[in-house]
Amino acid sequence: MLRKLIVPTWVVAAGIAGAAQAQEALEVGANIGNVPWEFQDDTGAFVGFEVDLASAVAAQLGREVEIVNIPFNGLFSAVQSGRIDMAMSSITITNERLQSVSFAQPYYDSDQSLTVGAEGPASLDEMKDKVVGVDTGSTGDMWATEHAADYGFADIRRYEGLQPAMLDLTAGRIDGYISDIPALQYYVKDKPALKVVQRIATGEKYSFMFAKDAELATEVDGILTGLKEDGTLAELHEKWFGAAPEAGTSTVTVLDMPTAE
């Protein structure tokens, strides 16, 4: 699925100077349905924190954005093969991933979380013999798989995005769902039938992902530095999460571009 995203006017001014020599569109892979990072609004338009951020980056490059809807697990091969220029979907930077792809500096710090129904388990300690849902190939998937024996999960069910998992959780087909805490806090804030009951500390940091050693990764890393320094990233955080980012987080702190150990 390929849909052209019109760059919002609020990000155009910063990067329009080179528009007369605009390059080909910046193709960005994303797992649409990943609230609040990238999803569709009531009009069908692609919106979200990372959609806005990708638009700001593209404006600095003098390019338009084309969002390519790809399941999370397919984003890795898509950047490696050159099918897309970069990928986003709250992708965690890990040393294992850095062996085969590159990341720009992080722009968001996150943890995982356990979400349940209103009458569901109160913590991971109550998930023994229960069914947990995760997103295929995500950090939540890796964490749940690694700790399945510790908590005695009866089964791990894998989903392609938040919405199908939430449908099964609401219907009682799974007992809990492990995924990124910001996405779940955003999702359940107006849904009394669901609640986030536990933060799972993982030290995750998110960024855009690229083919290994891609020149574009270095370009985008420099652009992110500017967007942190001019307050754009802080404004996006407040827009999508309802609060200013905490001091010292990667949303407001300029960091080195990650390298494999």
Side-chain angles (χ1 to χ4, degrees), residues 129-152:
D129 298 325
K130 306 287 187 184
V131 178
V132 64
V134 297
D135 294 326
T136 303
S138 67
T139 301
D141 186 352
M142 292 185 282
W143 189 93
T145 300
E146 182 180 349
H147 293 88
D150 299 335
Y151 291 99

Side-chain angles (χ1 to χ4, degrees), residues 42-64:
D42 293 339
T43 71
F46 292 159
V47 296
F49 179 97
E50 288 179 316
V51 174
D52 281 354
L53 182 54
S55 297
V57 167
Q60 293 285 349
L61 293 168
R63 301 167 72 172
E64 292 187 346

